Structure formats: structure tokens, C-alpha cells
Amino acid sequence: MQPIVDSSLWLARKRRALAHPADGADFLMRRAAEDLADRLGAVGRSFGRAAALFCQTPAAAEVLEASGKVADIVRVEAHAAFLNGASGLVAPLETVPFDPESLDLAVSLLSMQAMNDIPGMLVQVRRALRPDGLFLGAFAGAGTLAELRESLITAETELHGGASPRVAPFTDVRDAGALLQRAGLALPVADVETVTVRYESMFGLMADLSAMGETSALVDRSRRPAVRSFLARAAEIYAERFSDPDGRVRASFSIVWMSGWAPDVSQQKPLKPGSATVSLKKILEAPKGE
């Protein structure tokens, strides 16, 4: 499979961002962790062993611990720097280093958008889960940075007669549901939450993306230098098309959430076609009150 994302570059930028933290730049991870807490709180059961897969910070593991629903938590990161001295496992991105049926819960926050083989990752998650084990994952999906993408493409086309990829393609929520089914996870659910952030200008957004370690790591990214005239024109277009009445500009982040369960005989299953005992026609034709 032809890779889309340069995973090594993505990791290098994440490590650089970790070494030079910027106040407030972790707002997406904090939001994802809050959402994880809400979603886990809605699950009416406890879990034995859980894994936080490539979450880059301790936020997900802290949510699992605070929930009181998890007995044992293992963090897995792509580099020891993300563990920052805490206990955990180091494994290559896109791998799930656990024996089959050894986990009751697996979570992943804001890393799958950097993976080239999401289907393979989900298959490994499914294999590592015990029957009736749960997977919860969140990643940047389609619609993320749509304003920035449009502004950069328009500016580059104006100045150079054509445009190169500068913002990564993101998975659509409908495709996410299909990926869960393809991996063999039962009761698959995928939904999307859009977070809108406002900035003084496009440059504030770009500073946050750099502080997150989320600047473009596309394999086919443009090698043309982002000169001042290009960035200035892109910022003008951004302000013209995506500003509010007060002059601040909007940036969209679409967070796709996925959940699925390892199949188990105890789970609800859809009724077979034709197994209903009362026809829909009879229900619709029944007098009101019956």
C-alpha cells in the first residue's frame, strides 16, 4: 500500500512539540479526553485490562483511571519520550503489541489520522480484545482544517498556476463505520463532533498546529518553500472567506469517534428479515388507540 503520511516525520514533529510545549496548544487533546470520559461513563460495565494506544500524552490513561471502571491500564507509545518516564510499552505506530484476547478495553486518541493502515490497526485491536471487549477511538476526520486547505490551494493556484497538497486528506465518518465492520467489530458506531476555534488570523492557527506537531507530514507534500508572499495571500483569502463580523477567523476540527465491540454470544443481534410476528401494514392500518 502506498503510504500517504510520512509517519517518521509526524513522530519527529510530535516529539519536537513535546519538547517545546506551548500553553493552551493541547486544547484538542483535552477536548478528546473529556469526550472519552463522557463516553466511557455511558458504558454500564467495568473492565479488567485496558490499553491506551498512541495517545501521545497521559490524558487518556488518566481518564481511564479516574473512571473507576478499569483495573489495569497499559500505555503504548511510538517513542519513549511520550511516556516521559512513566511505565508503558514502546511499539511502532500502527501496531498493537498484545496477545490475542488479552484486553478488555482499548482506546486511541488523535493518532489514527497519521496512520497509513487504519484497517490493519483495527484488525489488530479486534484480535487483542477479549470477547465483549470495547474499542473507543477518536481521530481528525473529513472537514478538519477545510478553511486552511481552501485558502492555501487558492493562493498557490493564483501565484503559481497550480497547487500541491498541503493539508492531509481525512477519513469521512461514513468510512469510519465501514472500517469497524471490516475489522470484525460488532455493534459499530461512528459519529463526528466539530470543534470550531477562532483566531486573530491564519497565522495564529498555524502556530497552534506547529505547537501540536500537526503540520503537514504528507509523503507528497509540497517541497516549494512557503514564501512570505504566498502565506500573506493565503491569509488574505482566509480572512475574506472565513472571518466573523469581529474580524476573527474560524478553524474547524472534525473529530470522528469510533466504537465497536469484540463479538460475543451475549450481544444483541439484529432480527433476521421476515422474522417479525406483526406486519407493518397491520400496525399502520390499526385504528388509533389500539
Side-chain angles (χ1 to χ4, degrees), residues 10-38:
W10 182 80
L11 284 171
R13 288 178 174 167
K14 283 290 183 179
R15 290 173 57 197
R16 184 171 61 195
L18 181 68
H20 303 90
D23 187 42
D26 62 342
F27 65 90
L28 278 182
M29 181 60 74
R30 286 187 281 109
R31 172 65 179 266
E34 292 171 1
D35 289 347
L36 174 63
D38 290 341

Side-chain angles (χ1 to χ4, degrees), residues 199-212:
Y199 293 91
E200 290 291 339
S201 72
M202 182 190 79
F203 297 107
L205 167 62
M206 295 181 73
D208 265 1
L209 293 175
S210 180
M212 294 178 195

Side-chain angles (χ1 to χ4, degrees), residues 94-179:
E94 302 188 31
T95 62
V96 181
F98 295 97
D99 293 333
E101 298 189 7
S102 61
L103 297 175
D104 300 290
L105 172 66
V107 302
S108 179
L109 297 186
L110 302 185
S111 64
M112 283 192 291
Q113 73 273 3
M115 297 182 184
N116 288 298
D117 187 13
I118 296 177
M121 176 72 177
L122 292 175
V123 167
Q124 293 178 72
V125 169
R126 159 70 184 86
R127 187 181 301 124
L129 288 173
R130 295 188 178 104
D132 209 30
L134 173 63
F135 169 69
L136 287 170
F139 60 92
T144 296
L145 300 176
E147 304 90 349
L148 180 62
R149 182 198 305 273
E150 181 177 326
S151 301
L152 292 173
I153 288 175
T154 304
E156 192 167 16
T157 301
E158 284 184 8
L159 296 175
H160 302 290
S164 303
R166 291 185 181 272
V167 177
F170 296 103
T171 302
D172 185 85
V173 64
R174 292 167 294 185
D175 296 329
L179 289 173

Side-chain angles (χ1 to χ4, degrees), residues 176-281:
L179 289 173
L180 290 166
Q181 292 181 310
R182 177 177 169 183
L185 289 161
L187 309 175
V189 176
D191 61 271
V192 62
E193 295 189 1
T194 299
V195 179
T196 302
V197 186
R198 302 201 314 144
Y199 293 91
E200 290 291 339
S201 72
M202 182 190 79
F203 297 107
L205 167 62
M206 295 181 73
D208 265 1
L209 293 175
S210 180
M212 294 178 195
E214 287 291 355
T215 51
S216 177
L218 289 170
V219 171
D220 293 331
R221 64 191 178 278
S222 174
R223 265 57 174 186
R224 180 185 292 135
V227 297
R228 184 177 300 177
S229 59
F230 163 61
L231 292 176
R233 180 57 186 141
E236 288 176 357
I237 294 167
Y238 204 125
E240 290 167 3
R241 299 185 182 184
F242 305 109
S243 63
D244 289 330
D246 62 0
R248 295 174 67 84
V249 299
R250 302 180 300 277
S252 300
F253 297 88
S254 297
I255 308 302
V256 173
W257 276 93
M258 311 169 77
S259 69
W261 298 80
D264 184 71
V265 294
S266 66
Q267 294 166 351
Q268 280 189 310
K269 294 178 176 58
L271 295 173
K272 294 180 179 180
S275 61
T277 56
V278 180
S279 71
L280 178 60
K281 182 175 183 292

